[in-house]
Structure formats: C-alpha cells, structure tokens
Amino acid sequence: MKSSPPTTARRSAPLRRSDIPPSPPAARRAPGAGAVMGAILDHGPVARSTVARLTGLSPAAVSGHCGVLLRRGLIRESEETTGPRGLGRPHVPVDVDAGRYLVAGAHIAVTHTTLSLMDLRGRIVAEQRRPHEGTDPGRVLNGLAQRLPGLVAAHGAGRTVLAMGAATGHWVDPEAGVVVRHPQLGWRDVAVRGTLAEATGLPVHVDSHARALARAEQLVGESGTRTSAVLLFVGAVVDAAFVSAGAVHQGPRSGAGNVAHLPVGASDGGSSPCVCGVPGCLQAEVSEAEMVRRAVAAGLRVPSFPALLDRALTGDPTARELFLRRARLVGRAAAVLLDMFDPEVLVVVEPGAGRLPECLAVTRAEVADRSWVCDDPEHRVVPSSFTGSVLATAGPAVALGALYDDPLGPWPALPAVS
C-alpha cells in the first residue's frame, strides 16, 4: 500500500459531488482479458485450451492474455500435467495467484464501519468492525484510511493491496465515486472515492452494498447468479440490485435498487410511520431499527439488532416470531420482484434467511402464494452466499469486481501492460 500524501495536501472536508470533473473515457482494453481471468477463477487450475473453449476466444488470444496476466502476477502456472497413463500432450495449467495481492474494502453502515481485506479468490483475509464516533463524512472516511495500514501489517502476510472498495446503502453513484444520498447517515453528495484515494494513495472504487454483493455472487457466490438475478438486501437499510444479461444494472442516474418503499401491507398494526408518509412500506416494516423497536415493545430487553438475532438463534420464541414476521413481509416483496423481473434466482441477504431455516421456508411459502411467475421458490429464492460475512464482503467486492472487469487496466501496483 502506498504511503499517504502529506497532510498539508489534504482537504479538511470531503469533496462534494459538484467538485468532481466527469471521468475521462476508459481506455480501450484488449477484449477478453476479463473473460479469461474469470474462467480461470471459476475452473483453475485449468489448461489454456480449456479456457479457450469456455470463453470462445482463440487459443492464440487466450495465450496472449495469459502471458500478460502472468507478468502482472494475477495468475500463476501450476505443475505440468498429461493425459491418462502419460498419454497426450503435456500442458501447464494456470490458476489465480492469491499469494501476491489483496484488495481492501470498507462497508459504511448506519451504526458502524467494517474494514476488511480479501484475496483475489474472494476469500476474506481479515475484518475489523468499529462503531461510529459520529457520522461526519470526513471523520468516518479518514478513520477508515487511518486503520487500513495496521490491518494490512497484521494480516496481509507481505501481500500488496491493489485497490480499495467502499460500499454503503441507499443512492450511490459509482462513476463519480459519490454517495448521493444516505438519509440515516445524513450524507448527501459525499465524494467517498476522492477522500479515500487522497488519504490512502490507493485506487478507490465505490458502489451500493446491494450491487457490490450481487457482483460478489457473480464472481464467487454459490448460486447461479451470473446472468440473471435479483438481490434483496434487508438490514438497517433495505435495497436491491438487478443482474440482467450478466451486467449489474445501475440506471442512468445510478439509482436502481431503491425498493425501500415497496408496499407490503402489513395488517398487524403498530408499525412506525415511514419517512415517505405512506404506511406499510417495506423498510418501515422490516428494518433493523423496526425489529428492535418491536422487540422492546414485546418485552424483550435487547439493546441492538445483533442482540435480538442472538436471542432468536438461541430459541427465544418472541425473537423468533419477529424474524418469522419479517420473513413473511420479505416474501411479499420478493414475490413482486420475481414477477417484475423474472430472474433465474432471487438472493435474500437477511440473517434470518441465512441462519434460521424456518425463516427461509416462510419467505418461500409467501412467494409460492403470491407470485404469478415463480413456481419453484425452493430453487429460485436462495440465501446469500456470504451469510456471516456480508458486510466484510461488500466493500472489497467493489474493488475485486473492478479488477476482474479490467485486469489489464491501469492498476498502479501492477507492472504496466506492454
């Protein structure tokens, strides 16, 4: 990781969105390098000839891309192999090299931040969670930058950090690197990329946590989410991401995924009013804050959502019923999204779906009752591949996705492409 610039060069406050010039057009890259590296991630160690069959590229093109990726240290050669009984032409398989580089990531939640390191196979190397000491953007972002060198020194094992990803909820503009609006944090037009890049000296990539997790599912997830998926994130913030034809959809204003105000029509009463003024919105009914409020109203002495989850996991009937209620309402929203987009799979990022089997069953049953197009919810409604490490995955997944999209790009820590 590069050292930080002199403190005299830093701004006292984060850049604002209006201060940021438009990004220059991306330089044209040799086609197929990302496809080659993705195939190696999926199947490595793998022969170059197999990569050619998987990607549809010519053997010469695959060999060329592999040569550059080897020189950059992104892939490595494995031991030479031959066919059965020594027959066949020997080949040297290639694999992703997870021993040289890492990506860093930060997830900015409503009450805390999660700083993490990930290797090039998408495995979490280290994570560190800290509560906010105020939500001023400069304080939060510079605090993350100050913590990063210590995390790398303790857990990096000599590997170089290529880039940093940052993810949070609500409206995020990846092209500008800006959090456009995050009501719970009180952030508006905060230049996350500019602030973190200046403070760390690293390339920084920024996106919403739902889109980041959708990209992580595409890269290293367990479900078939490569070409067509909806990801529904249910936490302190409720939002979504949409994968179509293999691309994570952003929208012309990067606002895709705002599903917080889907009407789910809870009829049990006692819900907190939504900020939009319309009763029965998804976020107002199922957010972490609402879950804790309902738990306290029901007589549970829980100081936080993690404490409520712990009570549910240990069998507390009141806590479990609150999670089952949440699962039913999530199922209503999931049915709407399935009918609107007809994806191959809908991923539910919610701890009940991942850790309480009865919650996932309730969500699937609600989908079966309400959806007009989903006739196999047991296969199409699935929990996150990253249950237990969702927030630690979201931040670095932004940077990892950028690397796999353009491994021949201008990554300062890598040898130049010749």
Side-chain angles (χ1 to χ4, degrees), residues 243-295:
V243 177
S244 179
V248 181
H249 180 64
Q250 293 181 1
R253 288 166 293 279
S254 301
N258 185 354
V259 299
H261 303 290
L262 279 178
V264 292
S267 59
D268 51 2
S271 297
S272 299
C274 183
V275 293
C276 73
V278 178
C281 286
L282 179 62
Q283 181 162 289
E285 294 287 349
V286 303
S287 70
E288 291 180 0
E290 176 64 11
M291 291 282 285
V292 172
R293 191 196 68 78
R294 283 180 168 269

mmCIF file of all heavy atoms in Angstrom, residues 243-295:
data_model
loop_
_atom_site.group_PDB
_atom_site.id
_atom_site.type_symbol
_atom_site.label_atom_id
_atom_site.label_comp_id
_atom_site.label_asym_id
_atom_site.label_seq_id
_atom_site.Cartn_x
_atom_site.Cartn_y
_atom_site.Cartn_z
ATOM 1 N N VAL A 243 -29.386 -8.018 -11.811
ATOM 2 C CA VAL A 243 -28.423 -8.520 -12.788
ATOM 3 C C VAL A 243 -29.197 -8.971 -14.017
ATOM 4 O O VAL A 243 -30.099 -9.810 -13.921
ATOM 5 C CB VAL A 243 -27.609 -9.704 -12.220
ATOM 6 C CG1 VAL A 243 -26.660 -10.261 -13.282
ATOM 7 C CG2 VAL A 243 -26.831 -9.271 -10.976
ATOM 8 N N SER A 244 -28.845 -8.414 -15.169
ATOM 9 C CA SER A 244 -29.508 -8.767 -16.421
ATOM 10 C C SER A 244 -28.452 -8.930 -17.503
ATOM 11 O O SER A 244 -27.576 -8.072 -17.657
ATOM 12 C CB SER A 244 -30.497 -7.673 -16.824
ATOM 13 O OG SER A 244 -31.127 -7.985 -18.047
ATOM 14 N N ALA A 245 -28.524 -10.029 -18.233
ATOM 15 C CA ALA A 245 -27.562 -10.327 -19.299
ATOM 16 C C ALA A 245 -26.127 -10.244 -18.785
ATOM 17 O O ALA A 245 -25.227 -9.806 -19.486
ATOM 18 C CB ALA A 245 -27.758 -9.382 -20.485
ATOM 19 N N GLY A 246 -25.935 -10.647 -17.542
ATOM 20 C CA GLY A 246 -24.608 -10.696 -16.958
ATOM 21 C C GLY A 246 -24.095 -9.397 -16.386
ATOM 22 O O GLY A 246 -23.010 -9.370 -15.789
ATOM 23 N N ALA A 247 -24.837 -8.303 -16.542
ATOM 24 C CA ALA A 247 -24.393 -6.997 -16.039
ATOM 25 C C ALA A 247 -25.254 -6.572 -14.865
ATOM 26 O O ALA A 247 -26.475 -6.787 -14.848
ATOM 27 C CB ALA A 247 -24.468 -5.947 -17.148
ATOM 28 N N VAL A 248 -24.626 -5.942 -13.875
ATOM 29 C CA VAL A 248 -25.359 -5.387 -12.734
ATOM 30 C C VAL A 248 -25.900 -4.027 -13.156
ATOM 31 O O VAL A 248 -25.139 -3.111 -13.477
ATOM 32 C CB VAL A 248 -24.453 -5.260 -11.499
ATOM 33 C CG1 VAL A 248 -25.253 -4.705 -10.327
ATOM 34 C CG2 VAL A 248 -23.854 -6.612 -11.134
ATOM 35 N N HIS A 249 -27.220 -3.901 -13.152
ATOM 36 C CA HIS A 249 -27.877 -2.685 -13.654
ATOM 37 C C HIS A 249 -27.730 -1.542 -12.651
ATOM 38 O O HIS A 249 -27.934 -1.716 -11.442
ATOM 39 C CB HIS A 249 -29.359 -2.972 -13.898
ATOM 40 C CG HIS A 249 -30.130 -1.796 -14.409
ATOM 41 N ND1 HIS A 249 -29.887 -1.212 -15.627
ATOM 42 C CD2 HIS A 249 -31.145 -1.078 -13.856
ATOM 43 C CE1 HIS A 249 -30.717 -0.203 -15.812
ATOM 44 N NE2 HIS A 249 -31.489 -0.104 -14.746
ATOM 45 N N GLN A 250 -27.375 -0.356 -13.178
ATOM 46 C CA GLN A 250 -27.237 0.825 -12.325
ATOM 47 C C GLN A 250 -28.323 1.857 -12.579
ATOM 48 O O GLN A 250 -28.749 2.542 -11.657
ATOM 49 C CB GLN A 250 -25.871 1.482 -12.556
ATOM 50 C CG GLN A 250 -24.702 0.641 -12.101
ATOM 51 C CD GLN A 250 -23.375 1.343 -12.335
ATOM 52 O OE1 GLN A 250 -23.324 2.473 -12.813
ATOM 53 N NE2 GLN A 250 -22.303 0.666 -11.995
ATOM 54 N N GLY A 251 -28.754 1.980 -13.809
ATOM 55 C CA GLY A 251 -29.681 3.039 -14.176
ATOM 56 C C GLY A 251 -28.923 4.277 -14.613
ATOM 57 O O GLY A 251 -27.771 4.488 -14.226
ATOM 58 N N PRO A 252 -29.547 5.153 -15.401
ATOM 59 C CA PRO A 252 -28.850 6.335 -15.916
ATOM 60 C C PRO A 252 -28.420 7.310 -14.833
ATOM 61 O O PRO A 252 -27.512 8.114 -15.054
ATOM 62 C CB PRO A 252 -29.877 6.966 -16.865
ATOM 63 C CG PRO A 252 -31.201 6.429 -16.424
ATOM 64 C CD PRO A 252 -30.928 5.056 -15.908
ATOM 65 N N ARG A 253 -29.042 7.278 -13.685
ATOM 66 C CA ARG A 253 -28.647 8.138 -12.555
ATOM 67 C C ARG A 253 -28.080 7.320 -11.394
ATOM 68 O O ARG A 253 -27.977 7.814 -10.272
ATOM 69 C CB ARG A 253 -29.857 8.961 -12.089
ATOM 70 C CG ARG A 253 -30.255 10.063 -13.069
ATOM 71 C CD ARG A 253 -31.626 10.623 -12.771
ATOM 72 N NE ARG A 253 -32.670 9.619 -13.013
ATOM 73 C CZ ARG A 253 -33.171 9.330 -14.222
ATOM 74 N NH1 ARG A 253 -32.725 9.980 -15.283
ATOM 75 N NH2 ARG A 253 -34.091 8.415 -14.380
ATOM 76 N N SER A 254 -27.733 6.058 -11.664
ATOM 77 C CA SER A 254 -27.171 5.149 -10.656
ATOM 78 C C SER A 254 -28.124 4.924 -9.490
ATOM 79 O O SER A 254 -27.692 4.592 -8.395
ATOM 80 C CB SER A 254 -25.819 5.681 -10.129
ATOM 81 O OG SER A 254 -24.890 5.829 -11.172
ATOM 82 N N GLY A 255 -29.417 5.110 -9.754
ATOM 83 C CA GLY A 255 -30.387 4.995 -8.678
ATOM 84 C C GLY A 255 -31.137 3.680 -8.624
ATOM 85 O O GLY A 255 -32.044 3.525 -7.796
ATOM 86 N N ALA A 256 -30.776 2.719 -9.473
ATOM 87 C CA ALA A 256 -31.501 1.452 -9.493
ATOM 88 C C ALA A 256 -31.339 0.724 -8.163
ATOM 89 O O ALA A 256 -30.261 0.708 -7.571
ATOM 90 C CB ALA A 256 -30.982 0.568 -10.624
ATOM 91 N N GLY A 257 -32.428 0.122 -7.697
ATOM 92 C CA GLY A 257 -32.366 -0.675 -6.477
ATOM 93 C C GLY A 257 -33.109 -0.099 -5.296
ATOM 94 O O GLY A 257 -33.122 -0.702 -4.223
ATOM 95 N N ASN A 258 -33.756 1.046 -5.473
ATOM 96 C CA ASN A 258 -34.477 1.654 -4.353
ATOM 97 C C ASN A 258 -35.837 0.976 -4.198
ATOM 98 O O ASN A 258 -36.826 1.359 -4.812
ATOM 99 C CB ASN A 258 -34.650 3.151 -4.586
ATOM 100 C CG ASN A 258 -35.277 3.854 -3.396
ATOM 101 O OD1 ASN A 258 -35.684 3.222 -2.431
ATOM 102 N ND2 ASN A 258 -35.351 5.165 -3.461
ATOM 103 N N VAL A 259 -35.865 -0.062 -3.358
ATOM 104 C CA VAL A 259 -37.105 -0.803 -3.128
ATOM 105 C C VAL A 259 -37.636 -0.593 -1.717
ATOM 106 O O VAL A 259 -38.552 -1.292 -1.285
ATOM 107 C CB VAL A 259 -36.902 -2.314 -3.391
ATOM 108 C CG1 VAL A 259 -36.500 -2.564 -4.839
ATOM 109 C CG2 VAL A 259 -35.864 -2.900 -2.435
ATOM 110 N N ALA A 260 -37.063 0.368 -1.002
ATOM 111 C CA ALA A 260 -37.439 0.573 0.401
ATOM 112 C C ALA A 260 -38.923 0.873 0.560
ATOM 113 O O ALA A 260 -39.508 0.564 1.604
ATOM 114 C CB ALA A 260 -36.606 1.699 1.007
ATOM 115 N N HIS A 261 -39.536 1.461 -0.456
ATOM 116 C CA HIS A 261 -40.920 1.897 -0.314
ATOM 117 C C HIS A 261 -41.901 1.010 -1.077
ATOM 118 O O HIS A 261 -43.038 1.415 -1.349
ATOM 119 C CB HIS A 261 -41.043 3.362 -0.746
ATOM 120 C CG HIS A 261 -40.144 4.263 0.028
ATOM 121 N ND1 HIS A 261 -40.346 4.547 1.366
ATOM 122 C CD2 HIS A 261 -38.986 4.881 -0.321
ATOM 123 C CE1 HIS A 261 -39.367 5.335 1.791
ATOM 124 N NE2 HIS A 261 -38.532 5.545 0.805
ATOM 125 N N LEU A 262 -41.476 -0.222 -1.378
ATOM 126 C CA LEU A 262 -42.447 -1.176 -1.881
ATOM 127 C C LEU A 262 -43.532 -1.396 -0.833
ATOM 128 O O LEU A 262 -43.229 -1.636 0.344
ATOM 129 C CB LEU A 262 -41.773 -2.519 -2.184
ATOM 130 C CG LEU A 262 -41.029 -2.678 -3.502
ATOM 131 C CD1 LEU A 262 -40.408 -4.072 -3.567
ATOM 132 C CD2 LEU A 262 -41.962 -2.477 -4.681
ATOM 133 N N PRO A 263 -44.804 -1.325 -1.194
ATOM 134 C CA PRO A 263 -45.867 -1.556 -0.207
ATOM 135 C C PRO A 263 -46.021 -3.044 0.086
ATOM 136 O O PRO A 263 -46.230 -3.840 -0.823
ATOM 137 C CB PRO A 263 -47.114 -0.990 -0.894
ATOM 138 C CG PRO A 263 -46.827 -1.097 -2.357
ATOM 139 C CD PRO A 263 -45.336 -0.943 -2.521
ATOM 140 N N VAL A 264 -45.878 -3.414 1.340
ATOM 141 C CA VAL A 264 -46.054 -4.816 1.707
ATOM 142 C C VAL A 264 -47.314 -5.030 2.543
ATOM 143 O O VAL A 264 -47.661 -6.168 2.853
ATOM 144 C CB VAL A 264 -44.818 -5.363 2.455
ATOM 145 C CG1 VAL A 264 -43.634 -5.450 1.514
ATOM 146 C CG2 VAL A 264 -44.471 -4.506 3.663
ATOM 147 N N GLY A 265 -47.967 -3.934 2.944
ATOM 148 C CA GLY A 265 -49.298 -4.023 3.506
ATOM 149 C C GLY A 265 -49.435 -4.860 4.754
ATOM 150 O O GLY A 265 -50.343 -5.680 4.840
ATOM 151 N N ALA A 266 -48.532 -4.695 5.725
ATOM 152 C CA ALA A 266 -48.672 -5.419 6.987
ATOM 153 C C ALA A 266 -49.970 -5.007 7.662
ATOM 154 O O ALA A 266 -50.315 -3.832 7.712
ATOM 155 C CB ALA A 266 -47.489 -5.129 7.892
ATOM 156 N N SER A 267 -50.677 -5.988 8.199
ATOM 157 C CA SER A 267 -52.001 -5.705 8.776
ATOM 158 C C SER A 267 -52.042 -5.890 10.286
ATOM 159 O O SER A 267 -53.104 -5.835 10.889
ATOM 160 C CB SER A 267 -53.047 -6.625 8.135
ATOM 161 O OG SER A 267 -52.709 -7.987 8.357
ATOM 162 N N ASP A 268 -50.866 -6.104 10.914
ATOM 163 C CA ASP A 268 -50.877 -6.365 12.349
ATOM 164 C C ASP A 268 -50.798 -5.092 13.181
ATOM 165 O O ASP A 268 -50.851 -5.135 14.402
ATOM 166 C CB ASP A 268 -49.733 -7.309 12.740
ATOM 167 C CG ASP A 268 -48.388 -6.858 12.198
ATOM 168 O OD1 ASP A 268 -48.331 -5.790 11.555
ATOM 169 O OD2 ASP A 268 -47.400 -7.581 12.408
ATOM 170 N N GLY A 269 -50.654 -3.934 12.522
ATOM 171 C CA GLY A 269 -50.664 -2.664 13.237
ATOM 172 C C GLY A 269 -49.411 -2.433 14.055
ATOM 173 O O GLY A 269 -48.556 -3.297 14.200
ATOM 174 N N GLY A 270 -49.306 -1.205 14.587
ATOM 175 C CA GLY A 270 -48.214 -0.885 15.481
ATOM 176 C C GLY A 270 -46.900 -0.562 14.817
ATOM 177 O O GLY A 270 -45.879 -0.440 15.488
ATOM 178 N N SER A 271 -46.873 -0.413 13.493
ATOM 179 C CA SER A 271 -45.620 -0.131 12.802
ATOM 180 C C SER A 271 -45.265 1.343 12.917
ATOM 181 O O SER A 271 -46.129 2.213 13.049
ATOM 182 C CB SER A 271 -45.726 -0.513 11.324
ATOM 183 O OG SER A 271 -45.937 -1.890 11.190
ATOM 184 N N SER A 272 -43.977 1.620 12.816
ATOM 185 C CA SER A 272 -43.526 3.003 12.781
ATOM 186 C C SER A 272 -43.898 3.620 11.438
ATOM 187 O O SER A 272 -43.902 2.932 10.407
ATOM 188 C CB SER A 272 -42.007 3.074 12.966
ATOM 189 O OG SER A 272 -41.626 2.533 14.206
ATOM 190 N N PRO A 273 -44.208 4.918 11.408
ATOM 191 C CA PRO A 273 -44.522 5.543 10.125
ATOM 192 C C PRO A 273 -43.281 5.627 9.249
ATOM 193 O O PRO A 273 -42.166 5.780 9.733
ATOM 194 C CB PRO A 273 -45.011 6.939 10.535
ATOM 195 C CG PRO A 273 -44.387 7.189 11.873
ATOM 196 C CD PRO A 273 -44.301 5.852 12.537
ATOM 197 N N CYS A 274 -43.493 5.509 7.947
ATOM 198 C CA CYS A 274 -42.379 5.634 7.015
ATOM 199 C C CYS A 274 -42.088 7.105 6.757
ATOM 200 O O CYS A 274 -42.990 7.957 6.819
ATOM 201 C CB CYS A 274 -42.721 4.927 5.700
ATOM 202 S SG CYS A 274 -41.358 4.953 4.507
ATOM 203 N N VAL A 275 -40.858 7.411 6.425
ATOM 204 C CA VAL A 275 -40.478 8.800 6.146
ATOM 205 C C VAL A 275 -41.206 9.337 4.921
ATOM 206 O O VAL A 275 -41.357 10.553 4.772
ATOM 207 C CB VAL A 275 -38.956 8.925 5.936
ATOM 208 C CG1 VAL A 275 -38.205 8.629 7.217
ATOM 209 C CG2 VAL A 275 -38.470 7.999 4.817
ATOM 210 N N CYS A 276 -41.683 8.433 4.046
ATOM 211 C CA CYS A 276 -42.389 8.892 2.851
ATOM 212 C C CYS A 276 -43.830 9.275 3.146
ATOM 213 O O CYS A 276 -44.509 9.853 2.296
ATOM 214 C CB CYS A 276 -42.342 7.825 1.765
ATOM 215 S SG CYS A 276 -43.401 6.394 2.079
ATOM 216 N N GLY A 277 -44.325 8.923 4.337
ATOM 217 C CA GLY A 277 -45.679 9.278 4.720
ATOM 218 C C GLY A 277 -46.737 8.263 4.347
ATOM 219 O O GLY A 277 -47.906 8.414 4.703
ATOM 220 N N VAL A 278 -46.347 7.211 3.615
ATOM 221 C CA VAL A 278 -47.301 6.178 3.211
ATOM 222 C C VAL A 278 -47.113 4.963 4.107
ATOM 223 O O VAL A 278 -45.995 4.467 4.249
ATOM 224 C CB VAL A 278 -47.094 5.788 1.732
ATOM 225 C CG1 VAL A 278 -48.058 4.678 1.331
ATOM 226 C CG2 VAL A 278 -47.266 7.008 0.838
ATOM 227 N N PRO A 279 -48.145 4.473 4.746
ATOM 228 C CA PRO A 279 -47.984 3.321 5.639
ATOM 229 C C PRO A 279 -47.702 2.039 4.880
ATOM 230 O O PRO A 279 -48.063 1.891 3.716
ATOM 231 C CB PRO A 279 -49.338 3.251 6.363
ATOM 232 C CG PRO A 279 -50.308 3.893 5.417
ATOM 233 C CD PRO A 279 -49.541 4.967 4.711
ATOM 234 N N GLY A 280 -47.041 1.097 5.561
ATOM 235 C CA GLY A 280 -46.843 -0.227 5.001
ATOM 236 C C GLY A 280 -45.667 -0.385 4.083
ATOM 237 O O GLY A 280 -45.576 -1.376 3.351
ATOM 238 N N CYS A 281 -44.711 0.569 4.090
ATOM 239 C CA CYS A 281 -43.522 0.446 3.240
ATOM 240 C C CYS A 281 -42.606 -0.649 3.779
ATOM 241 O O CYS A 281 -42.507 -0.866 4.987
ATOM 242 C CB CYS A 281 -42.761 1.759 3.170
ATOM 243 S SG CYS A 281 -43.559 3.004 2.150
ATOM 244 N N LEU A 282 -41.884 -1.293 2.871
ATOM 245 C CA LEU A 282 -41.028 -2.412 3.241
ATOM 246 C C LEU A 282 -40.014 -2.033 4.309
ATOM 247 O O LEU A 282 -39.885 -2.726 5.328
ATOM 248 C CB LEU A 282 -40.319 -2.936 1.981
ATOM 249 C CG LEU A 282 -39.354 -4.112 2.176
ATOM 250 C CD1 LEU A 282 -40.082 -5.339 2.705
ATOM 251 C CD2 LEU A 282 -38.664 -4.439 0.847
ATOM 252 N N GLN A 283 -39.267 -0.953 4.100
ATOM 253 C CA GLN A 283 -38.228 -0.608 5.063
ATOM 254 C C GLN A 283 -38.810 -0.251 6.423
ATOM 255 O O GLN A 283 -38.261 -0.620 7.466
ATOM 256 C CB GLN A 283 -37.370 0.552 4.542
ATOM 257 C CG GLN A 283 -36.243 0.923 5.511
ATOM 258 C CD GLN A 283 -35.165 1.738 4.841
ATOM 259 O OE1 GLN A 283 -34.407 1.241 4.032
ATOM 260 N NE2 GLN A 283 -35.119 3.025 5.177
ATOM 261 N N ALA A 284 -39.940 0.450 6.446
ATOM 262 C CA ALA A 284 -40.561 0.817 7.713
ATOM 263 C C ALA A 284 -41.038 -0.408 8.478
ATOM 264 O O ALA A 284 -41.131 -0.386 9.708
ATOM 265 C CB ALA A 284 -41.736 1.767 7.464
ATOM 266 N N GLU A 285 -41.316 -1.508 7.776
ATOM 267 C CA GLU A 285 -41.833 -2.708 8.422
ATOM 268 C C GLU A 285 -40.740 -3.692 8.845
ATOM 269 O O GLU A 285 -40.922 -4.426 9.819
ATOM 270 C CB GLU A 285 -42.802 -3.431 7.480
ATOM 271 C CG GLU A 285 -44.070 -2.661 7.171
ATOM 272 C CD GLU A 285 -45.040 -2.622 8.349
ATOM 273 O OE1 GLU A 285 -44.821 -3.365 9.328
ATOM 274 O OE2 GLU A 285 -46.009 -1.853 8.275
ATOM 275 N N VAL A 286 -39.590 -3.722 8.126
ATOM 276 C CA VAL A 286 -38.643 -4.815 8.362
ATOM 277 C C VAL A 286 -37.223 -4.364 8.678
ATOM 278 O O VAL A 286 -36.338 -5.201 8.856
ATOM 279 C CB VAL A 286 -38.594 -5.771 7.138
ATOM 280 C CG1 VAL A 286 -39.964 -6.321 6.833
ATOM 281 C CG2 VAL A 286 -37.987 -5.093 5.916
ATOM 282 N N SER A 287 -36.960 -3.070 8.771
ATOM 283 C CA SER A 287 -35.593 -2.616 9.034
ATOM 284 C C SER A 287 -35.138 -3.077 10.413
ATOM 285 O O SER A 287 -35.938 -3.444 11.284
ATOM 286 C CB SER A 287 -35.517 -1.091 8.960
ATOM 287 O OG SER A 287 -36.196 -0.508 10.063
ATOM 288 N N GLU A 288 -33.838 -3.061 10.629
ATOM 289 C CA GLU A 288 -33.292 -3.459 11.922
ATOM 290 C C GLU A 288 -33.838 -2.585 13.057
ATOM 291 O O GLU A 288 -34.151 -3.092 14.141
ATOM 292 C CB GLU A 288 -31.768 -3.398 11.882
ATOM 293 C CG GLU A 288 -31.158 -4.467 10.983
ATOM 294 C CD GLU A 288 -29.650 -4.410 10.929
ATOM 295 O OE1 GLU A 288 -29.053 -3.528 11.598
ATOM 296 O OE2 GLU A 288 -29.045 -5.254 10.233
ATOM 297 N N ALA A 289 -33.952 -1.299 12.812
ATOM 298 C CA ALA A 289 -34.477 -0.409 13.854
ATOM 299 C C ALA A 289 -35.905 -0.786 14.223
ATOM 300 O O ALA A 289 -36.280 -0.791 15.406
ATOM 301 C CB ALA A 289 -34.415 1.042 13.381
ATOM 302 N N GLU A 290 -36.725 -1.117 13.225
ATOM 303 C CA GLU A 290 -38.106 -1.521 13.494
ATOM 304 C C GLU A 290 -38.155 -2.854 14.232
ATOM 305 O O GLU A 290 -38.989 -3.057 15.122
ATOM 306 C CB GLU A 290 -38.896 -1.600 12.190
ATOM 307 C CG GLU A 290 -40.330 -2.103 12.323
ATOM 308 C CD GLU A 290 -41.227 -1.186 13.144
ATOM 309 O OE1 GLU A 290 -40.807 -0.048 13.458
ATOM 310 O OE2 GLU A 290 -42.353 -1.614 13.472
ATOM 311 N N MET A 291 -37.253 -3.758 13.886
ATOM 312 C CA MET A 291 -37.202 -5.047 14.578
ATOM 313 C C MET A 291 -36.893 -4.853 16.058
ATOM 314 O O MET A 291 -37.528 -5.466 16.936
ATOM 315 C CB MET A 291 -36.148 -5.935 13.926
ATOM 316 C CG MET A 291 -36.494 -6.413 12.533
ATOM 317 S SD MET A 291 -37.664 -7.788 12.536
ATOM 318 C CE MET A 291 -36.593 -9.145 13.043
ATOM 319 N N VAL A 292 -35.917 -4.007 16.362
ATOM 320 C CA VAL A 292 -35.563 -3.761 17.761
ATOM 321 C C VAL A 292 -36.707 -3.059 18.478
ATOM 322 O O VAL A 292 -37.034 -3.389 19.629
ATOM 323 C CB VAL A 292 -34.262 -2.935 17.846
ATOM 324 C CG1 VAL A 292 -33.987 -2.504 19.280
ATOM 325 C CG2 VAL A 292 -33.084 -3.741 17.302
ATOM 326 N N ARG A 293 -37.347 -2.090 17.819
ATOM 327 C CA ARG A 293 -38.464 -1.384 18.440
ATOM 328 C C ARG A 293 -39.589 -2.344 18.795
ATOM 329 O O ARG A 293 -40.165 -2.284 19.892
ATOM 330 C CB ARG A 293 -38.979 -0.288 17.497
ATOM 331 C CG ARG A 293 -39.960 0.685 18.143
ATOM 332 C CD ARG A 293 -40.710 1.478 17.092
ATOM 333 N NE ARG A 293 -41.611 0.634 16.326
ATOM 334 C CZ ARG A 293 -42.800 0.213 16.746
ATOM 335 N NH1 ARG A 293 -43.225 0.530 17.977
ATOM 336 N NH2 ARG A 293 -43.566 -0.540 15.986
ATOM 337 N N ARG A 294 -39.903 -3.257 17.883
ATOM 338 C CA ARG A 294 -40.960 -4.236 18.138
ATOM 339 C C ARG A 294 -40.558 -5.198 19.257
ATOM 340 O O ARG A 294 -41.389 -5.619 20.060
ATOM 341 C CB ARG A 294 -41.285 -5.009 16.857
ATOM 342 C CG ARG A 294 -42.130 -4.227 15.876
ATOM 343 C CD ARG A 294 -42.441 -5.018 14.616
ATOM 344 N NE ARG A 294 -43.480 -4.344 13.847
ATOM 345 C CZ ARG A 294 -44.777 -4.556 13.972
ATOM 346 N NH1 ARG A 294 -45.213 -5.475 14.827
ATOM 347 N NH2 ARG A 294 -45.649 -3.884 13.252
ATOM 348 N N ALA A 295 -39.282 -5.565 19.287
ATOM 349 C CA ALA A 295 -38.816 -6.466 20.346
ATOM 350 C C ALA A 295 -38.983 -5.821 21.721
ATOM 351 O O ALA A 295 -39.470 -6.460 22.667
ATOM 352 C CB ALA A 295 -37.355 -6.836 20.111
#
